[in-house]
Amino acid sequence: MSEQPTIVLVHGAFADAASWAPVTRTLLDQGYTVRVPAVPNRSLIGDAAYIRSVVEQIEGPVLLAGHSYGGAVITVAGVAENVVGLVYVSGYALEEGESLGQLQGGFPDSDLAQHLVYTPFPVEGGEPGTDVSVEVAAFPDVFAHGVPLERAEVLAVSQRPLAALAFGENAPVAAWKTKPAWGIVSRADHTINPDVERFGYQRAGLRSVIELDAPHLVMQSHPAEVAKVITDAVAELA
């Protein structure tokens, strides 16, 4: 590949584009072209379609990196023709025809399960949807474990919920079947059982997987290491 890809960072549930900020800053300082779109977090199919539309409007190759639920999103959106690789960061590598609920259901629950909050949101012309978020008081320990408390408290009150619909939707495709991929496992993850990450990565046959003694928000706690996995993927693609 002669042209350096644009790196598109995809956030997950209960977070937004700012969750990638330390890694974004590192990549920009190193001269990479980076985009960090806001994921609607309304449905897996809809979110993947939106990210794919963003990707297809970028000239040249794209490397997608997805955190947490963002891993499921890039699994589907990554079939876009100009996507040249995928990086899973504490993420879900779904199989074709599999849902988040099905993948998670094969493993013991993480600490997150008992700290979820369900609230209705309006849907024009239809029944109300259900938003899923993390209890604000539990957020620092469960979702932002390892992040300084002052920052975790801000993240807790500005989290972006995920519509419950997304948990049951099946991935229509799995981009890792045709695109090279890399992965990071967070061994101290309290949000996703690390074995869910390991299983998905092994099944997908990722080119390389590293394990960090890191929490779920590994981009916040270990930005240099996350950035290196991404830039190493760029170098390997070249």
Side-chain angles (χ1 to χ4, degrees), residues 40-227:
N41 282 5
R42 297 294 81 183
S43 72
L44 175 60
I45 304 303
D47 294 342
Y50 175 74
I51 293 301
R52 180 171 179 169
S53 74
V54 171
V55 165
E56 291 179 334
Q57 294 178 68
I58 295 173
E59 287 191 20
V62 167
L63 175 68
L64 279 174
H67 173 250
S68 189
Y69 167 68
V73 174
I74 69 170
T75 296
V76 180
V79 296
E81 187 175 344
N82 60 328
V83 171
V84 293
L86 312 167
V87 178
Y88 290 90
V89 180
S90 310
Y92 295 102
L94 295 179
E95 172 62 279
E96 184 176 333
E98 182 179 55
S99 70
L100 287 169
Q102 288 171 331
L103 176 55
Q104 288 195 139
F107 299 87
D109 285 339
S110 69
D111 295 342
L112 176 70
Q114 59 186 321
H115 294 291
L116 294 175
V117 178
Y118 301 88
T119 54
F121 67 87
V123 175
E124 186 176 356
E127 294 294 321
T130 300
D131 261 339
V132 184
S133 58
V134 184
E135 292 175 358
V136 170
F139 191 99
D141 286 334
V142 173
F143 192 81
H145 175 72
V147 175
L149 181 60
E150 294 82 0
R151 192 188 314 163
E153 290 175 337
V154 172
L155 295 173
V157 298
S158 56
Q159 59 180 293
R160 192 182 187 102
L162 177 66
L165 175 67
F167 291 96
E169 288 183 308
N170 296 330
V173 293
W176 49 259
K177 291 180 180 292
T178 56
K179 308 290 175 78
W182 296 258
I184 296 173
V185 172
S186 291
R187 287 198 297 263
D189 200 326
H190 293 180
T191 298
I192 300 176
N193 183 331
D195 285 338
V196 173
E197 300 165 21
R198 295 184 182 104
F199 173 79
Y201 298 169
Q202 183 176 18
R203 180 177 60 182
L206 302 196
R207 287 197 176 190
S208 68
V209 175
I210 70 163
E211 296 209 5
L212 297 175
D213 187 18
H216 187 62
L217 282 178
V218 61
M219 317 93 71
Q220 293 274 328
S221 63
H222 293 67
E225 292 90 334
V226 174

